């Protein structure tokens, strides 16, 4: 299990939190997603053998946010 913290720009409200937690949380291999709205951070715990970090970032970008 690997845990990463991503800097995500463009989040501004509870809907943003739900959009990211919902979409990333549905990915196979992701065990935990936690959005820290005020800090513009997203913590993700995932199994690298099931899902790549690039796929997680792509999923966040697909929701309309920028991952740095």
């Amino acid at each position: 299990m690997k845990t990463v913290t991503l800097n995500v720009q463009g989040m501004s409200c509870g809907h943003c939190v739900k959009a990211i937690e919902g979409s990333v949380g549905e990915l196979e291999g992701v065990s935990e997603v936690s959005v820290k709205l005020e800090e513009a951070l997203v913590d993700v715990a995932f199994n690298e053998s099931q899902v790549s970090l690039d796929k997680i970032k792509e999923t966040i970008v697909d929701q309309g946010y920028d991952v740095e």
Side-chain angles (χ1 to χ4, degrees):
M1 195 64 61
K2 181 174 182 175
T3 302
V4 296
T5 300
L6 303 172
N7 185 337
V8 179
Q9 299 301 310
M11 301 183 299
S12 61
C13 63
H15 177 267
C16 301
V17 173
K18 288 182 180 183
I20 291 175
E21 288 181 348
S23 62
V24 174
E26 289 178 357
L27 294 173
E28 185 174 340
V30 173
S31 60
E32 187 175 338
V33 183
S34 176
V35 175
K36 297 176 184 166
L37 188 60
E38 297 297 320
E39 294 92 353
L41 299 175
V42 177
D43 295 327
V44 184
F46 63 101
N47 184 331
E48 291 178 284
S49 67
Q50 292 180 288
V51 65
S52 68
L53 180 56
D54 285 342
K55 179 63 177 171
I56 292 168
K57 289 179 178 180
E58 178 185 312
T59 300
I60 294 171
V61 169
D62 286 349
Q63 292 297 314
Y65 306 100
D66 295 321
V67 180
E68 296 178 3

